[in-house]
Amino acid sequence: MDDKQIVDLYWERSEKALTETAAKYGGYCYSVANSILNNRADAEESVNDTYLDAWNSMPPHRPSVLATFLGKITRRISVDKWRKSNAEKRGSGQVAVVLNELEECIPDKSNVEQTVEMQILADVINSFVKGLPDKEQQVFLCRYWYMDSVEAIAARFGFSVSKVKSMLYRTRQKLRARLIKEGLK
Amino acid sequence: MKPDDILDAIGKVDDQYIEKAKTSKKSNKKIWITAASAAACLCIAVAGIFGLRNAELFKADDTSTVADPSTVIGTSAQTVTESSDNTTAPPTVSETVGNTAAESTSKEAVTDQPTQIHLPSYWADTRERDKSKVVYSNMSAREWPWNCKEVSEQFTFVEYNGRKYIIRSHSTLSKDKVGKKLGTATMQGYDIYEDKTHSTTCEIYEIKGIDSSRFIAVKYQGYDGYYVFNMRDYDPPATLGDLISALNLTETFPLTTIYHNSKKYGLTEADSEVLWSMFLKHSDAETLEYENIPSGNKKLTFVIVSEELGTDNLSWALYDDGYIRTNIDSYGYRYYIGEDAVNEIVKYALGHKAGEIADNTQYIIGNVTEIGDDYIKVNDSVMMKNPDDGIEFTVMANDMRIKRYIISGFLKKGQLVRITHTGILTGNHTVVETATMLEEVMLAENDIMIYF
């Protein structure tokens, strides 16, 4: 069943929408969730929450690409779940490592926490990602959107682990420079 | 800025880049395995590449791996369970190392799938109604006692920065749409029953992407929610382009709901982008006042469904005289874009419309038989072809719009009412938990009014 047909089922409020979603994207959503949570039960719960969120989102949404629509929901739910369960004990799983890496991108390590305009930051990062060369863009998103391990990325692209690490390091430095240029702190 | 902010912002990257990363180049290595030993072999084969920690991703679950599309969803138990396909020996499966789970198909069974999805199950009313009876709302604008009003009904306007804003929606705005804080203000509300003026303070916020001289978000002291307020003074934007820009309409007003021939239809977000590009060609169209009687006939309406603008039923309509007429702002505006442009837009929208949008609103119409502290009982026998088919519903007063009828004493036993709700759960189909409105109505049978 193509995405348009599945989305039509949501709009018709037919529960078949969920079986079709699970059949086509259950594995994908699970892998997004598990990369973040590294725990089967939590990942399954995230996927279930994704289905409910999708049910409540369509209508009014009518996404053209269902995979990324669902993936974004799963990522958001999983990151929130990770934050709640790891508030005390950061240091486990890919998310903690990813956050440590992204720390390098922050232009001003002032002791005073300043609120950042999230929409502006999102726009800047979207523009930054758009401007990256293809491979660098894909590696960056595999790491920081999908939270794949460096080893998994290396295997996927046929790179060495050290090459992936240096690519990510360079991209993070570029992002830092961009954030400084945009005046974001 | 924190690393979490960057992580969240990366989450909002455009779909096309996420999609491209998902389908990124894979390694050419292949491992041939039989499905019968898929779990164990995959676990061993990939552990060396991904590291033992990630190998857990590939352990197959004994109970299920494949969603069976033919699973029957019963009306009483809305639980979707997946069955494992193990009735025949599966063929040899090729597995590509480094395959993302996005590529997983039902044959590969390399990832665990969630086992149950629970949805509420609603009762379907199949009773036959007496079609000779119709009801008319008896509602005039009732002024509720102060303690029966929600806070957004108590304090409905605010003055800030030399402008007066009035509440646009009594539903709260999602926090992720709220921008930076602009300031604070004092609000006043008047209780006509006690002849008393009440005061409160509030915080004023931007709504992300929207000019705060037109729309703001207000947070009442002591309450968590943010409410959309619209500037009340007459200050129209100069052009259509200025309106679109000020309200960030290409983002805040998706052109995904149309109303045509008394029905609502959906369009995709991709269609919305195309349609906005068509409207933007006429950005220079001057803002004109909305006349009371339009000179043309309506061809199509885009229903304005926008959380940021605090509405789900305002209108952006196209007329055959070449005008857009809209009530998106406090005042109605008119823009001339020409008959050809109107025809082009209407043709695209009607040519791409998808399924009809179902209306989930339902009603119970009947006489009040009992008024409790937190419920009202309503018997709908009067509306049934066979009065014996009538049901006495217990309508829970979960919403203040119902509860205030109890608190105020306005409701009387025997009164005919119409209850608006969004579904009755099958568990106990005489209990209504989702009631959102109560109206006092009058019954007409064969055009003759019947009074209770």
Side-chain angles (χ1 to χ4, degrees):
Chain A
M1 192 175 272
D2 66 28
D3 282 359
K4 184 182 178 306
Q5 290 170 311
I6 299 177
V7 172
D8 282 345
L9 290 173
Y10 279 98
W11 277 69
E12 289 162 20
R13 309 317 279 159
S14 163
E15 287 92 354
K16 193 162 185 263
L18 297 172
T19 47
E20 295 297 333
T21 300
K24 192 168 181 186
Y25 295 116
Y28 167 63
C29 291
Y30 180 84
S31 84
V32 170
N34 203 51
S35 286
I36 296 165
L37 295 163
N38 200 34
N39 177 286
R40 180 186 305 168
D42 285 348
E44 285 179 0
E45 193 178 312
S46 284
V47 176
N48 257 328
D49 290 345
T50 298
Y51 296 149
L52 204 50
D53 200 304
W55 181 261
N56 291 329
S57 301
M58 294 182 277
H61 287 98
R62 190 177 269 280
S64 308
V65 181
L66 193 52
T68 41
F69 180 78
L70 295 169
K72 280 186 164 177
I73 296 173
T74 307
R75 185 185 187 276
R76 173 176 46 80
I77 289 172
S78 302
V79 169
D80 284 348
K81 198 183 286 289
W82 183 88
R83 281 177 177 143
K84 280 186 188 131
S85 65
N86 287 279
E88 301 295 319
K89 48 178 174 70
R90 290 215 165 170
S92 62
Q94 287 299 322
V95 182
V97 181
V98 156
L99 286 171
N100 279 334
E101 290 170 16
L102 290 176
E103 182 103 33
E104 293 170 20
C105 302
I106 297 177
D108 184 348
K109 290 193 175 58
S110 156
N111 286 331
V112 176
E113 287 243 334
Q114 293 170 303
T115 53
V116 61
E117 177 54 59
M118 281 309 296
Q119 188 56 50
I120 293 175
L121 181 61
D123 289 344
V124 167
I125 285 181
N126 195 58
S127 165
F128 170 77
V129 165
K130 183 180 174 182
L132 290 173
D134 278 357
K135 275 287 171 287
E136 202 176 326
Q137 182 194 89
Q138 288 161 18
V139 167
F140 181 83
L141 288 175
C142 284
R143 182 69 181 137
Y144 299 116
W145 199 97
Y146 285 99
M147 315 256 196
D148 289 341
S149 67
V150 170
E151 292 78 9
I153 296 171
R156 177 174 308 146
F157 288 90
F159 296 155
S160 65
V161 168
S162 62
K163 178 171 177 173
V164 172
K165 283 184 178 175
S166 28
M167 276 178 84
L168 288 170
Y169 176 78
R170 280 198 303 276
T171 312
R172 290 195 301 269
Q173 293 308 304
K174 280 191 206 175
L175 177 56
R176 182 171 188 275
R178 179 65 179 270
L179 294 175
I180 292 171
K181 184 181 168 191
E182 298 287 343
L184 288 167
K185 294 187 180 177
Chain B
M1 189 193 305
K2 304 186 296 295
D4 293 79
D5 295 330
I6 301 181
L7 190 71
D8 288 343
I10 291 172
K12 296 180 183 180
V13 159
D14 281 353
D15 290 0
Q16 55 180 314
Y17 308 125
I18 301 167
E19 180 76 12
K20 205 161 57 163
K22 176 170 74 97
T23 54
S24 50
K25 185 177 184 258
K26 297 176 286 297
S27 154
N28 288 327
K29 289 185 192 172
K30 289 184 194 257
I31 294 175
W32 290 85
I33 57 173
T34 60
S37 58
C41 290
L42 275 174
C43 191
I44 294 166
V46 303
I49 297 166
F50 295 100
L52 284 171
R53 179 182 59 188
N54 285 331
E56 195 170 83
L57 177 70
F58 299 96
K59 282 184 191 165
D61 189 302
D62 286 338
T63 58
S64 66
T65 54
V66 176
D68 179 359
S70 65
T71 300
V72 172
I73 301 170
T75 52
S76 57
Q78 294 291 316
T79 301
V80 178
T81 56
E82 286 128 354
S83 57
S84 57
D85 182 16
N86 57 5
T87 53
T88 59
T92 302
V93 175
S94 72
E95 174 61 26
T96 304
V97 170
N99 196 9
T100 66
E103 312 299 324
S104 294
T105 65
S106 57
K107 280 188 184 172
E108 294 168 72
V110 295
T111 59
D112 293 329
Q113 303 245 356
T115 53
Q116 301 218 324
I117 306 157
H118 295 275
L119 266 190
S121 161
Y122 292 101
W123 171 64
D125 188 353
T126 56
R127 298 173 298 160
E128 195 175 353
R129 278 176 171 65
D130 183 346
K131 293 195 172 85
S132 70
K133 291 176 178 165
V134 293
V135 293
Y136 297 91
S137 176
N138 196 22
M139 290 292 286
S140 49
R142 187 182 279 286
E143 182 62 27
W144 292 99
W146 189 256
N147 65 337
C148 291
K149 290 186 180 183
E150 297 185 9
V151 67
S152 59
E153 293 173 316
Q154 292 173 336
F155 302 100
T156 59
F157 65 90
V158 65
E159 289 194 32
Y160 176 72
N161 215 18
R163 290 171 180 257
K164 185 169 176 175
Y165 296 83
I166 197 157
I167 192 156
R168 183 68 174 252
S169 169
H170 296 287
S171 302
T172 54
L173 183 64
S174 307
K175 203 169 173 190
D176 64 345
K177 295 185 158 65
V178 178
K180 66 179 185 205
K181 184 176 169 183
L182 298 172
T184 57
T186 302
M187 300 173 85
Q188 292 192 327
Y190 181 61
D191 178 352
I192 64 165
Y193 292 99
E194 300 291 324
D195 188 22
K196 185 180 170 187
T197 300
H198 297 264
S199 290
T200 190
T201 56
C202 67
E203 294 173 350
I204 311 282
Y205 290 81
E206 264 184 358
I207 299 174
K208 284 181 182 172
I210 296 182
D211 184 347
S212 59
S213 70
R214 298 200 176 274
F215 281 82
I216 54 173
V218 170
K219 185 171 181 292
Y220 296 95
Q221 182 189 21
Y223 293 84
D224 287 334
Y226 298 83
Y227 293 85
V228 175
F229 277 61
N230 182 204
M231 198 274 293
R232 198 66 184 122
D233 303 322
Y234 186 66
D235 181 18
T239 64
L240 177 62
D242 291 335
L243 176 70
I244 293 172
S245 171
L247 304 188
N248 195 19
L249 292 183
T250 55
E251 299 294 324
T252 60
F253 170 21
L255 297 168
T256 51
T257 308
I258 56 173
Y259 191 72
H260 180 66
N261 290 344
S262 305
K263 289 185 179 171
K264 269 189 195 173
Y265 299 92
L267 293 164
T268 68
E269 287 168 1
D271 291 327
S272 176
E273 284 187 28
V274 170
L275 286 161
W276 272 122
S277 70
M278 294 165 102
F279 280 114
L280 284 166
K281 286 182 196 169
H282 305 280
S283 292
D284 290 338
E286 197 186 328
T287 303
L288 302 168
E289 271 189 43
Y290 193 105
E291 73 276 57
N292 284 334
I293 301 171
S295 52
N297 295 309
K298 199 181 295 184
K299 294 197 76 160
L300 181 76
T301 303
F302 290 94
V303 182
I304 306 172
V305 181
S306 170
E307 207 186 333
E308 293 95 327
L309 302 176
T311 175
D312 63 0
N313 64 356
L314 291 181
S315 162
W316 183 275
L318 294 167
Y319 285 73
D320 63 7
D321 58 0
Y323 281 89
I324 301 166
R325 289 180 174 85
T326 179
N327 53 1
I328 197 167
D329 206 346
S330 283
Y331 295 86
Y333 301 137
R334 201 165 43 110
Y335 298 94
Y336 182 72
I337 62 172
E339 289 91 338
D340 289 345
V342 164
N343 288 335
E344 189 192 356
I345 293 168
V346 169
K347 185 179 172 188
Y348 182 94
L350 294 180
H352 287 78
K353 73 180 193 315
E356 190 181 340
I357 299 175
D359 184 359
N360 289 330
T361 306
Q362 299 174 54
Y363 303 100
I364 291 167
I365 302 168
N367 298 101
V368 176
T369 55
E370 189 176 322
I371 304 170
D373 287 340
D374 59 357
Y375 67 87
I376 300 167
K377 289 199 177 183
V378 176
N379 188 310
D380 69 354
S381 301
V382 67
M383 300 302 292
M384 293 296 127
K385 190 162 184 185
N386 178 359
D388 291 338
D389 288 341
I391 294 175
E392 185 175 69
F393 293 96
T394 300
V395 179
M396 302 309 296
N398 297 326
D399 190 304
M400 176 51 95
R401 288 169 288 182
I402 310 289
K403 199 171 182 72
R404 52 192 173 194
Y405 276 93
I406 300 173
I407 298 170
S408 63
F410 286 146
L411 201 60
K412 302 288 178 238
K413 209 166 153 182
Q415 199 167 346
L416 188 67
V417 296
R418 176 166 61 191
I419 307 280
T420 303
H421 67 96
T422 54
I424 302 173
L425 294 174
T426 52
N428 181 351
H429 71 265
T430 63
V431 177
V432 182
E433 299 273 6
T434 61
T436 55
M437 197 187 314
L438 186 154
E439 295 168 276
E440 300 153 70
V441 294
M442 297 173 65
L443 181 67
E445 185 172 359
N446 295 321
D447 295 329
I448 298 170
M449 299 302 292
I450 298 171
Y451 295 89
F452 291 92

